Amino acid sequence: VRHHLGEERLRSGRRLWLLLVVIDGRPALSCLRKPEQMAGHDITTLEGLPEQTRQTIAQAFVLEGGVQCGFCIPGIVVRASALIQQGKTNDRDAIAKALDGHICRCTGYGRIIDAIQTAGEALTNGGTLPAEPRRHSFFGEEFGLSRNPVFEFAPNKGHGIGESHARVGGLEQTLGEKPFVDDMRVPGMLHGAMVLSEHPRAKVLAIHTGAAAASQGVVRIFTARDVPGERGAGLAVADLPLFVAVGETTCCVGDFLAMVVADTQFHARQAAANIKVDYEVLEPITDPFKALESGAPQVHSADTFRPAPNVIDSPTKFGRGDVRGGVCHRATRHRSDLRHASG
Ligand code: FES
């Protein structure tokens, strides 16, 4: 449905309760119902909720900081609408219990419960949301600290430093209308599928791509030898190989060995499954205490992409200084950068 009909608002995810709808007034997973069982039943999707309910819940999620990446939230909005209907939003425990099956990787749930309570209160009060969120908008307020007046919010001057700004695109994310990368389509787009190492520690002896290259829809197969120049990536140390080469040893099961590019995701994945890899499987290093012993085998051993000892000997230093002066300096820099950007 997502890929062939372009209905991207349906988020897949087996345990995230993303496909929630209201059936005869009760929230239920649409993916567990067969179409023939649904004849004669009243089904409401997120799009079918009253517009005022949708907007009030979305605004409450943005106000309370209850939406981050937004992946899980559309299903929770449907759940929230049912809780509002049932008049249960003044009971935090009942909301928490109702959210039992929803997995959110970002928010920590507290703010989601805040948002559902706020939406419930607003909808029973004619749809008016409070001006302030339930939690302190300034970090440190709850510890008795106050904002430096220099950075206070001033009308027509934008937000002050330390003040939370409304999440950009938060309303669309809450209602499942903001596309994720996997939702984006351009004409003629190709699809990739990665081949990952099957073993955390194994020497790669050969990668057989012949059968995969002849598979339907395959345009190209990449391995380490197709990467010109620097093959490493990483934030602090570029020790993650884009591809592990034949002759090298893997450091984890997430190491990439090959990538198939094809006309559809299905063809790419099908071909990736046809790539055969010969390994010399080695014992993985899973005990940090044993890894610290002298003479222990190295995770990044001599035949890995970027050899390194198990203990990275680069001390991290930090110091304390004039925080206020530093913040003032940063504020000045930020403004000047913005002027350059607009000029
Ligand atoms: S999973 Fe990202 S907001 Fe819930």
Side-chain angles (χ1 to χ4, degrees):
V1 172
R2 281 169 56 75
H3 293 141
H4 293 284
L5 300 181
E7 184 42 85
E8 309 292 6
R9 281 168 294 190
L10 297 172
R11 305 255 176 260
S12 53
R14 254 179 250 157
R15 296 201 52 223
L16 295 175
W17 287 57
L18 304 166
L19 306 171
L20 207 68
V21 295
V22 179
I23 301 175
D24 299 330
R26 298 181 59 138
L29 278 174
S30 58
C31 56
L32 294 183
R33 302 293 191 285
K34 291 181 179 166
E36 57 268 29
Q37 296 172 338
M38 289 294 98
H41 290 274
D42 182 41
I43 303 171
T44 308
T45 64
L46 175 57
E47 289 73 25
L49 296 175
E51 196 51 29
Q52 192 199 11
T53 304
R54 286 163 44 85
Q55 292 304 326
T56 305
I57 296 176
Q59 287 163 15
F61 268 83
V62 172
L63 174 74
E64 299 291 358
V67 54
Q68 288 190 28
C69 81
F71 198 83
C72 69
I73 302 295
I76 294 178
V77 172
V78 175
R79 174 78 63 190
S81 74
L83 288 166
I84 291 166
Q85 278 281 326
Q86 295 159 2
K88 288 187 177 166
T89 54
N90 55 2
D91 182 344
R92 287 184 75 86
D93 290 341
I95 299 173
K97 178 100 185 73
L99 292 174
D100 214 19
H102 295 264
I103 296 177
C104 177
R105 298 163 297 186
C106 305
T107 62
Y109 296 96
R111 288 173 184 270
I112 290 179
I113 297 174
D114 291 350
I116 295 174
Q117 279 205 293
T118 298
E121 286 169 12
L123 281 164
T124 49
N125 293 327
T128 308
L129 285 154
E132 286 289 318
R134 287 167 190 270
R135 290 168 203 251
H136 303 280
S137 62
F138 166 55
F139 178 78
E141 228 169 322
E142 59 192 300
F143 304 109
L145 302 172
S146 59
R147 194 195 305 267
N148 184 333
V150 171
F151 305 126
E152 285 279 354
F153 171 78
N156 305 322
K157 281 197 171 176
H159 287 257
I161 290 176
E163 183 180 356
S164 299
H165 189 35
R167 187 167 192 81
V168 177
L171 296 176
E172 292 84 355
Q173 282 179 303
T174 304
L175 296 175
E177 291 166 355
K178 188 161 180 238
F180 286 79
V181 171
D182 190 38
D183 303 330
M184 296 175 185
R185 301 280 176 272
V186 292
M189 188 171 97
L190 297 172
H191 297 258
M194 304 302 295
V195 177
L196 307 181
S197 172
E198 292 169 45
H199 307 281
R201 189 161 168 256
K203 187 165 185 170
V204 179
L205 303 178
I207 302 174
H208 304 283
T209 59
S215 302
Q216 189 180 357
V218 171
V219 175
R220 182 88 194 261
I221 296 177
F222 292 96
T223 60
R225 62 183 173 195
D226 297 302
V227 180
E230 176 58 54
R231 191 158 42 97
L235 286 179
V237 181
D239 60 353
L240 176 70
L242 299 183
F243 294 107
V244 174
V246 170
E248 290 178 350
T249 293
T250 62
C251 296
C252 68
V253 284
D255 271 341
F256 303 128
L257 302 179
M259 180 173 77
V260 178
V261 179
D263 57 350
T264 66
Q265 197 175 76
F266 178 76
H267 285 153
R269 288 186 178 167
Q270 204 174 38
N274 279 336
I275 291 182
K276 301 290 170 235
V277 181
D278 296 336
Y279 299 97
E280 179 190 338
V281 180
L282 305 169
E283 191 180 344
I285 299 157
T286 56
D287 184 331
F289 296 102
K290 282 191 185 155
L292 289 173
E293 290 169 5
S294 75
Q298 288 172 224
V299 176
H300 291 264
S301 54
D303 52 0
T304 58
F305 166 68
R306 186 141 296 164
N310 286 344
V311 179
I312 299 171
D313 188 18
S314 63
T316 302
K317 292 182 187 163
F318 65 92
R320 299 178 196 281
D322 178 7
V323 175
R324 184 158 299 196
V327 170
C328 285
H329 177 65
R330 295 303 303 172
T332 312
R333 280 280 305 280
H334 189 55
R335 273 200 183 163
S336 101
D337 288 346
L338 282 177
R339 276 209 202 103
H340 287 308
S342 60

